[in-house]
Amino acid sequence: MKEGERVAKQIEGVYEKILECATKEFLEKGYTDASLRTIAANADTSTNSIYVRFKDKEGLFSAIVEPAAEEFMSRCRNIQETFHSFDSEVQRQEVGKYSSNAMLDMMDYVYDHFDVFRLLLDASYGTKFQYFIDGLVSLEEDYTWKWLEATGSRIKHEGRITAEFYHMMVTAYFEGIFEVVRHDIPREDAKKYVALMGEYHHAGFLAIVENTGLN
């Protein structure tokens, strides 16, 4: 470890203060317009101490959002893997209920890390995290095609629903869900809205399935 890094780590509380001030700056101005000088001044430290600890501005932003972003994605993937370990009939019968309950649990995680998700949704342009929702959409798409195959559907293979159309559906779903964060809706109200959004999305998907003769 370099001497500058060793000294930086020994100054108790500075790391946490930088993260606190950086979160506020990023929330107010977004990643692109946020100033490391302002963050350093508000944290009563120097820009050099930020570079020593975080390398650069994106490193600082990553230190704030990456743990929660990765944990959220990991939980989503585990939910999908658990569901797809069920037999095909259970998957067919329980998909709507399982998905709705899982998303409500995930919203608790979002609200436990509310400012981080505000940053991911609306302040991450210019970083790799600007594609956060795209990653969720991609994961949902992958497992939906697996579900269709597991339940014997040929809807994709026969071209009766295209990947492009389903991409639009899923994107609209996740964008709608995260509106509760963007509008700072209280947790319990947000969970009610997300539950309704899940019912709406699932009913729409089933309507497409029924209209294409898949029942």
Side-chain angles (χ1 to χ4, degrees), residues 133-192:
I133 288 182
D134 293 337
L136 296 175
V137 169
S138 179
L139 182 69
E140 181 70 16
E141 289 174 317
D142 289 345
Y143 280 96
T144 296
W145 301 132
K146 290 181 181 180
W147 177 79
L148 289 170
E149 291 177 5
T151 55
S153 168
R154 294 187 56 79
I155 188 172
K156 183 181 181 183
H157 299 294
E158 296 175 3
R160 291 180 287 175
I161 183 172
T162 65
E164 290 82 3
F165 178 74
Y166 191 65
H167 176 78
M168 289 188 288
M169 285 181 60
V170 179
T171 300
Y173 173 63
F174 279 110
E175 289 287 356
I177 283 176
F178 284 115
E179 282 295 286
V180 298
V181 176
R182 290 184 166 118
H183 291 281
D184 199 16
I185 293 174
R187 183 190 297 240
E188 292 308 312
D189 288 340
K191 292 176 72 173
K192 292 177 185 177

Short mmCIF file of all heavy atoms in Angstrom, two decimals, residues 133-192:
data_model
loop_
_atom_site.label_atom_id
_atom_site.label_comp_id
_atom_site.label_asym_id
_atom_site.label_seq_id
_atom_site.Cartn_x
_atom_site.Cartn_y
_atom_site.Cartn_z
N ILE A 133 -31.61 -0.04 -15.52
CA ILE A 133 -32.92 -0.61 -15.87
C ILE A 133 -32.79 -1.55 -17.06
O ILE A 133 -33.45 -2.60 -17.11
CB ILE A 133 -33.95 0.50 -16.13
CG1 ILE A 133 -34.35 1.17 -14.81
CG2 ILE A 133 -35.20 -0.06 -16.83
CD1 ILE A 133 -35.41 2.25 -14.94
N ASP A 134 -31.92 -1.22 -18.00
CA ASP A 134 -31.71 -2.11 -19.15
C ASP A 134 -31.28 -3.50 -18.69
O ASP A 134 -31.68 -4.51 -19.27
CB ASP A 134 -30.65 -1.53 -20.08
CG ASP A 134 -31.10 -0.25 -20.76
OD1 ASP A 134 -32.33 -0.04 -20.88
OD2 ASP A 134 -30.24 0.53 -21.18
N GLY A 135 -30.45 -3.54 -17.66
CA GLY A 135 -29.99 -4.83 -17.14
C GLY A 135 -31.13 -5.63 -16.55
O GLY A 135 -31.21 -6.86 -16.74
N LEU A 136 -32.03 -4.97 -15.83
CA LEU A 136 -33.20 -5.64 -15.26
C LEU A 136 -34.12 -6.15 -16.37
O LEU A 136 -34.65 -7.26 -16.29
CB LEU A 136 -33.96 -4.69 -14.35
CG LEU A 136 -33.23 -4.21 -13.10
CD1 LEU A 136 -34.08 -3.18 -12.36
CD2 LEU A 136 -32.89 -5.37 -12.18
N VAL A 137 -34.30 -5.33 -17.39
CA VAL A 137 -35.14 -5.72 -18.52
C VAL A 137 -34.57 -6.96 -19.19
O VAL A 137 -35.29 -7.92 -19.49
CB VAL A 137 -35.28 -4.56 -19.52
CG1 VAL A 137 -35.93 -5.04 -20.82
CG2 VAL A 137 -36.10 -3.42 -18.92
N SER A 138 -33.28 -6.95 -19.43
CA SER A 138 -32.63 -8.08 -20.09
C SER A 138 -32.79 -9.37 -19.29
O SER A 138 -33.08 -10.44 -19.84
CB SER A 138 -31.14 -7.77 -20.30
OG SER A 138 -30.49 -8.85 -20.92
N LEU A 139 -32.63 -9.26 -17.97
CA LEU A 139 -32.79 -10.43 -17.11
C LEU A 139 -34.22 -10.97 -17.18
O LEU A 139 -34.44 -12.18 -17.32
CB LEU A 139 -32.45 -10.05 -15.66
CG LEU A 139 -32.52 -11.16 -14.63
CD1 LEU A 139 -31.40 -12.17 -14.85
CD2 LEU A 139 -32.44 -10.58 -13.21
N GLU A 140 -35.20 -10.09 -17.11
CA GLU A 140 -36.61 -10.49 -17.18
C GLU A 140 -36.92 -11.14 -18.53
O GLU A 140 -37.64 -12.15 -18.59
CB GLU A 140 -37.50 -9.28 -16.95
CG GLU A 140 -39.00 -9.58 -16.97
CD GLU A 140 -39.48 -10.37 -15.78
OE1 GLU A 140 -38.74 -10.45 -14.77
OE2 GLU A 140 -40.59 -10.91 -15.85
N GLU A 141 -36.40 -10.57 -19.59
CA GLU A 141 -36.63 -11.14 -20.92
C GLU A 141 -36.08 -12.56 -21.01
O GLU A 141 -36.77 -13.48 -21.48
CB GLU A 141 -35.96 -10.27 -21.98
CG GLU A 141 -36.64 -8.94 -22.21
CD GLU A 141 -35.86 -8.05 -23.16
OE1 GLU A 141 -34.61 -7.98 -23.04
OE2 GLU A 141 -36.49 -7.43 -24.01
N ASP A 142 -34.86 -12.75 -20.55
CA ASP A 142 -34.22 -14.07 -20.64
C ASP A 142 -35.06 -15.13 -19.93
O ASP A 142 -35.28 -16.22 -20.47
CB ASP A 142 -32.82 -14.04 -20.03
CG ASP A 142 -31.82 -13.27 -20.88
OD1 ASP A 142 -32.13 -13.01 -22.06
OD2 ASP A 142 -30.75 -12.92 -20.36
N TYR A 143 -35.52 -14.79 -18.73
CA TYR A 143 -36.25 -15.78 -17.96
C TYR A 143 -37.68 -15.95 -18.43
O TYR A 143 -38.30 -17.00 -18.21
CB TYR A 143 -36.19 -15.45 -16.47
CG TYR A 143 -34.88 -15.89 -15.86
CD1 TYR A 143 -33.82 -15.01 -15.72
CD2 TYR A 143 -34.70 -17.21 -15.46
CE1 TYR A 143 -32.60 -15.42 -15.18
CE2 TYR A 143 -33.49 -17.63 -14.91
CZ TYR A 143 -32.45 -16.73 -14.77
OH TYR A 143 -31.25 -17.15 -14.25
N THR A 144 -38.25 -14.95 -19.08
CA THR A 144 -39.58 -15.12 -19.65
C THR A 144 -39.55 -16.12 -20.79
O THR A 144 -40.43 -16.99 -20.90
CB THR A 144 -40.14 -13.78 -20.16
OG1 THR A 144 -40.30 -12.90 -19.04
CG2 THR A 144 -41.50 -13.98 -20.82
N TRP A 145 -38.53 -16.04 -21.64
CA TRP A 145 -38.42 -17.02 -22.72
C TRP A 145 -38.22 -18.42 -22.15
O TRP A 145 -38.76 -19.41 -22.68
CB TRP A 145 -37.28 -16.66 -23.67
CG TRP A 145 -37.40 -15.31 -24.31
CD1 TRP A 145 -36.43 -14.36 -24.41
CD2 TRP A 145 -38.55 -14.74 -24.97
NE1 TRP A 145 -36.89 -13.24 -25.05
CE2 TRP A 145 -38.20 -13.44 -25.41
CE3 TRP A 145 -39.86 -15.20 -25.21
CZ2 TRP A 145 -39.08 -12.61 -26.08
CZ3 TRP A 145 -40.75 -14.37 -25.87
CH2 TRP A 145 -40.37 -13.10 -26.30
N LYS A 146 -37.48 -18.53 -21.05
CA LYS A 146 -37.30 -19.83 -20.41
C LYS A 146 -38.64 -20.34 -19.87
O LYS A 146 -38.95 -21.53 -19.95
CB LYS A 146 -36.29 -19.73 -19.26
CG LYS A 146 -34.85 -19.51 -19.71
CD LYS A 146 -33.91 -19.43 -18.51
CE LYS A 146 -32.48 -19.19 -18.95
NZ LYS A 146 -31.54 -19.11 -17.81
N TRP A 147 -39.44 -19.42 -19.32
CA TRP A 147 -40.75 -19.80 -18.79
C TRP A 147 -41.66 -20.29 -19.92
O TRP A 147 -42.36 -21.30 -19.78
CB TRP A 147 -41.40 -18.60 -18.08
CG TRP A 147 -42.77 -18.89 -17.57
CD1 TRP A 147 -43.11 -19.57 -16.43
CD2 TRP A 147 -44.02 -18.51 -18.18
NE1 TRP A 147 -44.48 -19.64 -16.29
CE2 TRP A 147 -45.05 -18.99 -17.36
CE3 TRP A 147 -44.34 -17.81 -19.35
CZ2 TRP A 147 -46.40 -18.80 -17.65
CZ3 TRP A 147 -45.68 -17.62 -19.65
CH2 TRP A 147 -46.70 -18.10 -18.82
N LEU A 148 -41.65 -19.60 -21.04
CA LEU A 148 -42.48 -20.01 -22.17
C LEU A 148 -42.08 -21.39 -22.67
O LEU A 148 -42.94 -22.22 -22.99
CB LEU A 148 -42.35 -18.98 -23.30
CG LEU A 148 -43.02 -17.62 -23.02
CD1 LEU A 148 -42.63 -16.61 -24.09
CD2 LEU A 148 -44.53 -17.76 -22.94
N GLU A 149 -40.78 -21.65 -22.70
CA GLU A 149 -40.33 -22.97 -23.12
C GLU A 149 -40.71 -24.04 -22.11
O GLU A 149 -41.15 -25.14 -22.47
CB GLU A 149 -38.82 -22.96 -23.33
CG GLU A 149 -38.37 -22.14 -24.54
CD GLU A 149 -36.86 -22.10 -24.69
OE1 GLU A 149 -36.17 -22.79 -23.90
OE2 GLU A 149 -36.37 -21.37 -25.58
N ALA A 150 -40.55 -23.72 -20.81
CA ALA A 150 -40.86 -24.69 -19.76
C ALA A 150 -42.33 -25.06 -19.73
O ALA A 150 -42.69 -26.18 -19.37
CB ALA A 150 -40.43 -24.14 -18.40
N THR A 151 -43.19 -24.11 -20.11
CA THR A 151 -44.63 -24.35 -20.07
C THR A 151 -45.18 -24.80 -21.42
O THR A 151 -46.39 -24.88 -21.62
CB THR A 151 -45.38 -23.08 -19.61
OG1 THR A 151 -45.03 -21.97 -20.45
CG2 THR A 151 -45.03 -22.76 -18.17
N GLY A 152 -44.30 -25.07 -22.37
CA GLY A 152 -44.71 -25.64 -23.64
C GLY A 152 -45.19 -24.65 -24.69
O GLY A 152 -45.75 -25.05 -25.72
N SER A 153 -44.96 -23.38 -24.47
CA SER A 153 -45.41 -22.38 -25.43
C SER A 153 -44.46 -22.28 -26.61
O SER A 153 -43.25 -22.39 -26.46
CB SER A 153 -45.50 -21.01 -24.75
OG SER A 153 -45.68 -19.99 -25.71
N ARG A 154 -45.06 -22.06 -27.78
CA ARG A 154 -44.25 -21.83 -28.98
C ARG A 154 -44.47 -20.42 -29.51
O ARG A 154 -44.25 -20.14 -30.69
CB ARG A 154 -44.60 -22.87 -30.05
CG ARG A 154 -44.21 -24.29 -29.66
CD ARG A 154 -44.42 -25.24 -30.82
NE ARG A 154 -43.69 -24.83 -32.00
CZ ARG A 154 -42.40 -25.03 -32.19
NH1 ARG A 154 -41.66 -25.64 -31.27
NH2 ARG A 154 -41.81 -24.63 -33.31
N ILE A 155 -44.91 -19.53 -28.64
CA ILE A 155 -45.29 -18.18 -29.05
C ILE A 155 -44.14 -17.44 -29.71
O ILE A 155 -44.34 -16.72 -30.70
CB ILE A 155 -45.84 -17.39 -27.84
CG1 ILE A 155 -46.41 -16.06 -28.29
CG2 ILE A 155 -44.79 -17.20 -26.76
CD1 ILE A 155 -47.16 -15.33 -27.17
N LYS A 156 -42.93 -17.61 -29.17
CA LYS A 156 -41.78 -16.93 -29.76
C LYS A 156 -41.36 -17.59 -31.07
O LYS A 156 -41.12 -16.92 -32.08
CB LYS A 156 -40.61 -16.90 -28.78
CG LYS A 156 -39.40 -16.13 -29.31
CD LYS A 156 -38.25 -16.14 -28.31
CE LYS A 156 -37.07 -15.35 -28.83
NZ LYS A 156 -35.90 -15.42 -27.90
N HIS A 157 -41.29 -18.90 -31.06
CA HIS A 157 -40.83 -19.63 -32.23
C HIS A 157 -41.76 -19.41 -33.43
O HIS A 157 -41.31 -19.39 -34.58
CB HIS A 157 -40.74 -21.13 -31.92
CG HIS A 157 -39.77 -21.45 -30.83
ND1 HIS A 157 -38.41 -21.25 -30.95
CD2 HIS A 157 -39.96 -21.93 -29.57
CE1 HIS A 157 -37.80 -21.62 -29.84
NE2 HIS A 157 -38.72 -22.03 -28.98
N GLU A 158 -43.05 -19.25 -33.17
CA GLU A 158 -44.00 -19.06 -34.25
C GLU A 158 -44.17 -17.60 -34.63
O GLU A 158 -44.96 -17.27 -35.51
CB GLU A 158 -45.34 -19.67 -33.85
CG GLU A 158 -45.26 -21.19 -33.67
CD GLU A 158 -46.55 -21.80 -33.15
OE1 GLU A 158 -47.52 -21.05 -32.97
OE2 GLU A 158 -46.57 -23.02 -32.92
N GLY A 159 -43.46 -16.72 -33.94
CA GLY A 159 -43.47 -15.31 -34.31
C GLY A 159 -44.72 -14.56 -33.91
O GLY A 159 -44.98 -13.46 -34.41
N ARG A 160 -45.50 -15.11 -32.97
CA ARG A 160 -46.73 -14.44 -32.58
C ARG A 160 -46.51 -13.36 -31.51
O ARG A 160 -47.39 -12.57 -31.23
CB ARG A 160 -47.75 -15.48 -32.10
CG ARG A 160 -48.26 -16.35 -33.25
CD ARG A 160 -49.25 -17.37 -32.78
NE ARG A 160 -48.61 -18.44 -32.02
CZ ARG A 160 -49.29 -19.41 -31.41
NH1 ARG A 160 -50.60 -19.41 -31.44
NH2 ARG A 160 -48.65 -20.35 -30.75
N ILE A 161 -45.34 -13.38 -30.92
CA ILE A 161 -44.89 -12.26 -30.10
C ILE A 161 -43.39 -12.12 -30.37
O ILE A 161 -42.66 -13.12 -30.34
CB ILE A 161 -45.17 -12.46 -28.60
CG1 ILE A 161 -44.74 -11.22 -27.81
CG2 ILE A 161 -44.49 -13.70 -28.06
CD1 ILE A 161 -45.16 -11.27 -26.34
N THR A 162 -42.94 -10.95 -30.68
CA THR A 162 -41.54 -10.76 -31.04
C THR A 162 -40.71 -10.31 -29.84
O THR A 162 -41.25 -9.77 -28.87
CB THR A 162 -41.39 -9.72 -32.15
OG1 THR A 162 -41.82 -8.44 -31.65
CG2 THR A 162 -42.23 -10.10 -33.37
N ALA A 163 -39.43 -10.51 -29.95
CA ALA A 163 -38.52 -10.04 -28.90
C ALA A 163 -38.61 -8.53 -28.75
O ALA A 163 -38.55 -8.01 -27.63
CB ALA A 163 -37.09 -10.46 -29.23
N GLU A 164 -38.77 -7.82 -29.85
CA GLU A 164 -38.86 -6.36 -29.80
C GLU A 164 -40.09 -5.90 -29.03
O GLU A 164 -40.02 -4.99 -28.20
CB GLU A 164 -38.88 -5.78 -31.22
CG GLU A 164 -37.58 -5.91 -31.99
CD GLU A 164 -37.40 -7.27 -32.63
OE1 GLU A 164 -38.32 -8.12 -32.53
OE2 GLU A 164 -36.34 -7.48 -33.23
N PHE A 165 -41.22 -6.56 -29.30
CA PHE A 165 -42.45 -6.17 -28.61
C PHE A 165 -42.36 -6.47 -27.12
O PHE A 165 -42.74 -5.64 -26.28
CB PHE A 165 -43.66 -6.88 -29.21
CG PHE A 165 -44.94 -6.54 -28.50
CD1 PHE A 165 -45.54 -5.30 -28.66
CD2 PHE A 165 -45.54 -7.45 -27.63
CE1 PHE A 165 -46.71 -4.96 -27.99
CE2 PHE A 165 -46.71 -7.12 -26.95
CZ PHE A 165 -47.30 -5.88 -27.14
N TYR A 166 -41.84 -7.65 -26.78
CA TYR A 166 -41.75 -7.98 -25.36
C TYR A 166 -40.76 -7.07 -24.65
O TYR A 166 -40.97 -6.70 -23.49
CB TYR A 166 -41.37 -9.45 -25.16
CG TYR A 166 -41.54 -9.85 -23.71
CD1 TYR A 166 -42.81 -9.87 -23.13
CD2 TYR A 166 -40.45 -10.15 -22.92
CE1 TYR A 166 -42.98 -10.20 -21.80
CE2 TYR A 166 -40.62 -10.48 -21.58
CZ TYR A 166 -41.88 -10.49 -21.03
OH TYR A 166 -42.05 -10.79 -19.70
N HIS A 167 -39.72 -6.67 -25.35
CA HIS A 167 -38.77 -5.71 -24.77
C HIS A 167 -39.49 -4.41 -24.39
O HIS A 167 -39.26 -3.85 -23.31
CB HIS A 167 -37.65 -5.42 -25.76
CG HIS A 167 -36.68 -4.38 -25.29
ND1 HIS A 167 -35.68 -4.64 -24.38
CD2 HIS A 167 -36.58 -3.06 -25.59
CE1 HIS A 167 -35.00 -3.54 -24.15
NE2 HIS A 167 -35.53 -2.56 -24.87
N MET A 168 -40.37 -3.94 -25.26
CA MET A 168 -41.13 -2.73 -24.95
C MET A 168 -42.03 -2.94 -23.74
O MET A 168 -42.15 -2.06 -22.87
CB MET A 168 -41.96 -2.30 -26.17
CG MET A 168 -41.12 -1.75 -27.30
SD MET A 168 -42.13 -1.03 -28.64
CE MET A 168 -42.82 -2.51 -29.38
N MET A 169 -42.68 -4.10 -23.66
CA MET A 169 -43.55 -4.40 -22.53
C MET A 169 -42.79 -4.37 -21.21
O MET A 169 -43.23 -3.75 -20.22
CB MET A 169 -44.19 -5.78 -22.71
CG MET A 169 -45.30 -5.86 -23.72
SD MET A 169 -45.97 -7.54 -23.79
CE MET A 169 -46.53 -7.78 -22.10
N VAL A 170 -41.66 -5.06 -21.18
CA VAL A 170 -40.90 -5.18 -19.93
C VAL A 170 -40.28 -3.84 -19.54
O VAL A 170 -40.24 -3.49 -18.36
CB VAL A 170 -39.82 -6.27 -20.05
CG1 VAL A 170 -39.02 -6.37 -18.76
CG2 VAL A 170 -40.46 -7.61 -20.36
N THR A 171 -39.80 -3.10 -20.53
CA THR A 171 -39.24 -1.78 -20.24
C THR A 171 -40.30 -0.88 -19.63
O THR A 171 -40.04 -0.17 -18.64
CB THR A 171 -38.68 -1.14 -21.52
OG1 THR A 171 -37.64 -1.97 -22.05
CG2 THR A 171 -38.10 0.24 -21.23
N ALA A 172 -41.50 -0.89 -20.19
CA ALA A 172 -42.59 -0.08 -19.65
C ALA A 172 -42.92 -0.50 -18.22
O ALA A 172 -43.20 0.34 -17.35
CB ALA A 172 -43.82 -0.21 -20.54
N TYR A 173 -42.85 -1.80 -17.95
CA TYR A 173 -43.13 -2.32 -16.61
C TYR A 173 -42.13 -1.79 -15.58
O TYR A 173 -42.51 -1.23 -14.55
CB TYR A 173 -43.10 -3.84 -16.64
CG TYR A 173 -43.21 -4.51 -15.30
CD1 TYR A 173 -44.34 -4.37 -14.51
CD2 TYR A 173 -42.17 -5.30 -14.81
CE1 TYR A 173 -44.43 -4.99 -13.27
CE2 TYR A 173 -42.25 -5.93 -13.58
CZ TYR A 173 -43.39 -5.77 -12.81
OH TYR A 173 -43.48 -6.38 -11.59
N PHE A 174 -40.84 -1.93 -15.87
CA PHE A 174 -39.84 -1.48 -14.91
C PHE A 174 -39.80 0.04 -14.78
O PHE A 174 -39.64 0.58 -13.68
CB PHE A 174 -38.46 -2.02 -15.28
CG PHE A 174 -38.23 -3.43 -14.84
CD1 PHE A 174 -38.17 -4.46 -15.75
CD2 PHE A 174 -38.10 -3.74 -13.49
CE1 PHE A 174 -37.98 -5.78 -15.34
CE2 PHE A 174 -37.91 -5.04 -13.06
CZ PHE A 174 -37.85 -6.07 -13.99
N GLU A 175 -39.97 0.74 -15.88
CA GLU A 175 -40.02 2.19 -15.80
C GLU A 175 -41.21 2.63 -14.95
O GLU A 175 -41.11 3.57 -14.15
CB GLU A 175 -40.11 2.81 -17.19
CG GLU A 175 -38.83 2.70 -18.02
CD GLU A 175 -37.73 3.64 -17.56
OE1 GLU A 175 -37.96 4.44 -16.63
OE2 GLU A 175 -36.62 3.56 -18.12
N GLY A 176 -42.32 1.95 -15.10
CA GLY A 176 -43.51 2.28 -14.30
C GLY A 176 -43.30 2.02 -12.83
O GLY A 176 -43.66 2.84 -11.98
N ILE A 177 -42.69 0.89 -12.52
CA ILE A 177 -42.42 0.55 -11.12
C ILE A 177 -41.55 1.62 -10.45
O ILE A 177 -41.84 2.08 -9.35
CB ILE A 177 -41.74 -0.83 -11.03
CG1 ILE A 177 -42.77 -1.93 -11.22
CG2 ILE A 177 -41.00 -0.99 -9.70
CD1 ILE A 177 -42.18 -3.31 -11.25
N PHE A 178 -40.50 2.04 -11.14
CA PHE A 178 -39.57 2.97 -10.51
C PHE A 178 -40.07 4.42 -10.50
O PHE A 178 -39.40 5.29 -9.93
CB PHE A 178 -38.20 2.87 -11.18
CG PHE A 178 -37.43 1.65 -10.75
CD1 PHE A 178 -37.12 0.64 -11.66
CD2 PHE A 178 -37.05 1.48 -9.43
CE1 PHE A 178 -36.41 -0.48 -11.26
CE2 PHE A 178 -36.35 0.36 -9.01
CZ PHE A 178 -36.03 -0.63 -9.94
N GLU A 179 -41.24 4.66 -11.07
CA GLU A 179 -41.84 5.98 -10.92
C GLU A 179 -42.14 6.29 -9.46
O GLU A 179 -42.17 7.45 -9.06
CB GLU A 179 -43.12 6.07 -11.75
CG GLU A 179 -42.90 6.28 -13.24
CD GLU A 179 -42.26 7.63 -13.53
OE1 GLU A 179 -42.96 8.66 -13.42
OE2 GLU A 179 -41.06 7.65 -13.85
N VAL A 180 -42.36 5.25 -8.65
CA VAL A 180 -42.63 5.50 -7.23
C VAL A 180 -41.43 6.12 -6.54
O VAL A 180 -41.56 6.89 -5.58
CB VAL A 180 -43.08 4.22 -6.49
CG1 VAL A 180 -44.37 3.67 -7.09
CG2 VAL A 180 -41.98 3.16 -6.48
N VAL A 181 -40.22 5.78 -7.01
CA VAL A 181 -39.00 6.38 -6.47
C VAL A 181 -38.85 7.80 -6.99
O VAL A 181 -38.57 8.74 -6.23
CB VAL A 181 -37.77 5.53 -6.84
CG1 VAL A 181 -36.49 6.21 -6.36
CG2 VAL A 181 -37.89 4.13 -6.25
N ARG A 182 -39.04 7.97 -8.28
CA ARG A 182 -38.88 9.28 -8.90
C ARG A 182 -39.84 10.31 -8.32
O ARG A 182 -39.52 11.50 -8.25
CB ARG A 182 -39.07 9.17 -10.41
CG ARG A 182 -37.94 8.42 -11.11
CD ARG A 182 -38.13 8.40 -12.61
NE ARG A 182 -36.91 7.98 -13.29
CZ ARG A 182 -36.84 6.89 -14.05
NH1 ARG A 182 -37.90 6.13 -14.23
NH2 ARG A 182 -35.69 6.58 -14.64
N HIS A 183 -41.02 9.86 -7.89
CA HIS A 183 -42.01 10.77 -7.33
C HIS A 183 -42.03 10.76 -5.81
O HIS A 183 -42.92 11.36 -5.20
CB HIS A 183 -43.39 10.44 -7.89
CG HIS A 183 -43.54 10.76 -9.35
ND1 HIS A 183 -43.75 12.04 -9.81
CD2 HIS A 183 -43.45 9.98 -10.45
CE1 HIS A 183 -43.83 12.02 -11.14
NE2 HIS A 183 -43.64 10.79 -11.55
N ASP A 184 -41.04 10.08 -5.20
CA ASP A 184 -40.89 10.10 -3.75
C ASP A 184 -42.17 9.68 -3.04
O ASP A 184 -42.59 10.29 -2.05
CB ASP A 184 -40.45 11.50 -3.29
CG ASP A 184 -39.83 11.47 -1.90
OD1 ASP A 184 -39.46 10.38 -1.42
OD2 ASP A 184 -39.71 12.56 -1.29
N ILE A 185 -42.80 8.64 -3.53
CA ILE A 185 -44.05 8.13 -2.95
C ILE A 185 -43.71 7.33 -1.69
O ILE A 185 -42.77 6.53 -1.69
CB ILE A 185 -44.80 7.26 -3.97
CG1 ILE A 185 -45.28 8.15 -5.14
CG2 ILE A 185 -45.98 6.53 -3.34
CD1 ILE A 185 -45.89 7.41 -6.27
N PRO A 186 -44.44 7.53 -0.60
CA PRO A 186 -44.17 6.79 0.63
C PRO A 186 -44.19 5.28 0.41
O PRO A 186 -44.91 4.76 -0.45
CB PRO A 186 -45.32 7.22 1.56
CG PRO A 186 -45.71 8.58 1.06
CD PRO A 186 -45.53 8.51 -0.43
N ARG A 187 -43.39 4.57 1.20
CA ARG A 187 -43.15 3.15 0.99
C ARG A 187 -44.45 2.33 0.86
O ARG A 187 -44.59 1.56 -0.09
CB ARG A 187 -42.31 2.58 2.14
CG ARG A 187 -41.96 1.10 1.95
CD ARG A 187 -41.33 0.52 3.22
NE ARG A 187 -40.09 1.15 3.57
CZ ARG A 187 -38.91 0.53 3.67
NH1 ARG A 187 -38.83 -0.77 3.42
NH2 ARG A 187 -37.83 1.19 4.01
N GLU A 188 -45.36 2.45 1.82
CA GLU A 188 -46.54 1.60 1.79
C GLU A 188 -47.44 1.91 0.61
O GLU A 188 -48.03 1.00 0.00
CB GLU A 188 -47.31 1.71 3.12
CG GLU A 188 -46.56 1.12 4.30
CD GLU A 188 -46.08 -0.31 4.04
OE1 GLU A 188 -46.90 -1.13 3.57
OE2 GLU A 188 -44.90 -0.59 4.30
N ASP A 189 -47.56 3.19 0.26
CA ASP A 189 -48.32 3.53 -0.94
C ASP A 189 -47.62 3.00 -2.19
O ASP A 189 -48.27 2.49 -3.11
CB ASP A 189 -48.47 5.05 -1.06
CG ASP A 189 -49.44 5.63 -0.04
OD1 ASP A 189 -50.27 4.86 0.49
OD2 ASP A 189 -49.37 6.84 0.23
N ALA A 190 -46.31 3.10 -2.20
CA ALA A 190 -45.54 2.61 -3.34
C ALA A 190 -45.77 1.12 -3.54
O ALA A 190 -45.92 0.65 -4.69
CB ALA A 190 -44.06 2.90 -3.13
N LYS A 191 -45.79 0.36 -2.47
CA LYS A 191 -45.99 -1.08 -2.59
C LYS A 191 -47.38 -1.41 -3.12
O LYS A 191 -47.56 -2.36 -3.90
CB LYS A 191 -45.73 -1.75 -1.25
CG LYS A 191 -44.27 -1.69 -0.83
CD LYS A 191 -44.02 -2.26 0.55
CE LYS A 191 -44.13 -3.75 0.58
NZ LYS A 191 -43.72 -4.32 1.89
N LYS A 192 -48.37 -0.61 -2.75
CA LYS A 192 -49.72 -0.80 -3.30
C LYS A 192 -49.72 -0.55 -4.80
O LYS A 192 -50.31 -1.31 -5.57
CB LYS A 192 -50.70 0.15 -2.61
CG LYS A 192 -50.96 -0.15 -1.14
CD LYS A 192 -51.88 0.89 -0.54
CE LYS A 192 -52.05 0.67 0.96
NZ LYS A 192 -52.90 1.73 1.59
#
